Amino acid sequence: LDRNTLPTFNFQFGMQHGQTYYISAVAGNQLVPGIVDPNDDCISVAQGTPIVFYEEPTAFMSGDLSICEGETAGLNIEFTGDGPWDLLYDINGELKEIHGINANPFTLNITPTSNTTVTLINVNNENCDGDVDGEISIEVNSELAVTNVSTKCNATSTVYNVMFEISGGDPNSYDVSGVFGSITPTPPYIFTSFEYVSLLNKINNFL
């Protein structure tokens, strides 16, 4: 596959990780300076020294998350190289380790109580240290709450609106089902329904 004047070789195109190769010293007449003639009748090949090239492990994750208080964030981590893997990561400045990971991809479950940043620090397997790439921010939103529920009628009590305040959670994802209306774009987030005809007005019209 390759030859060199020194017993130093790199992983070559076409070679396979995990396969055993042999480095052998060769003595004989020179074909050109530094290169032994492979057709030399007196060529001598020493017993080969076995070597194995292992694929360097890597770990990767991406994608910021937004959860509510008490929920668990599942961080998806993908590996390359041979498992099992040992992983070192950082949570808001605190180092943590997981050993003997066999699943790929692997889900790292975290239940933070406040906004949290998780950063991959190092990965290794039985054979090599590897490279990591990934930092995820987890936004923790307070629990959704609906308060200050009220109704507003017109002067004749013939139509009314339902109003209430929404807090907690992710304001960008607020949605009210079952009632049509609108939500103010800035806090406090007030939902106001479209006008509804009152029951009294319906009875009067029927009578």
Side-chain angles (χ1 to χ4, degrees):
L1 295 176
D2 197 12
R3 56 190 176 187
N4 197 354
T5 56
L6 298 174
T8 303
F9 296 90
N10 295 320
F11 189 77
Q12 304 291 323
F13 177 78
M15 297 174 68
Q16 296 182 5
H17 291 109
Q19 181 172 323
T20 302
Y21 298 90
Y22 294 89
I23 297 177
S24 298
V26 179
N29 294 315
Q30 292 188 117
L31 181 63
V32 295
I35 302 296
V36 174
D37 183 355
N39 297 316
D40 184 1
D41 292 335
C42 298
I43 194 170
S44 176
V45 180
Q47 181 176 353
T49 300
I51 61 168
V52 178
F53 292 95
Y54 294 102
E55 183 179 4
E56 183 182 49
T58 67
F60 170 79
M61 68 177 185
S62 66
D64 293 340
L65 299 173
S66 180
I67 63 173
C68 291
E69 284 180 330
E71 291 183 341
T72 297
L75 281 59
N76 192 59
I77 303 174
E78 297 181 0
F79 296 96
T80 64
D82 296 327
W85 300 271
D86 296 334
L87 184 68
L88 177 66
Y89 61 97
D90 175 283
I91 300 182
N92 288 347
E94 181 180 356
L95 293 177
K96 294 182 177 294
E97 293 181 274
I98 303 177
H99 297 282
I101 299 173
N102 289 296
N104 187 24
F106 170 74
T107 301
L108 176 62
N109 290 315
I110 297 176
T111 308
T113 57
S114 60
N115 292 346
T116 297
T117 300
V118 182
T119 306
L120 299 183
I121 303 298
N122 185 57
V123 65
N124 61 74
N125 59 16
E126 181 182 5
N127 303 302
C128 307
D129 282 332
D131 289 327
V132 297
D133 182 19
E135 180 174 282
I136 290 179
S137 295
I138 305 172
E139 181 183 17
V140 180
N141 299 294
S142 58
E143 186 176 355
L144 275 173
V146 173
T147 57
N148 302 323
V149 180
S150 64
T151 57
K152 181 181 179 181
C153 296
N154 65 358
T156 59
S157 297
T158 53
V159 296
Y160 67 95
N161 302 90
V162 177
M163 304 172 64
F164 53 81
E165 181 178 348
I166 307 172
S167 60
D170 178 10
N172 293 322
S173 63
Y174 284 167
D175 183 55
V176 177
S177 61
V179 180
F180 295 105
S182 62
I183 302 173
T184 54
T186 58
Y189 297 101
I190 306 298
F191 172 82
T192 303
S193 73
F194 296 154
E195 291 184 339
Y196 286 86
V197 177
S198 69
L199 178 61
L200 176 62
N201 188 45
K202 288 183 177 179
I203 293 175
N204 289 334
N205 289 335
F206 179 76
L207 293 176

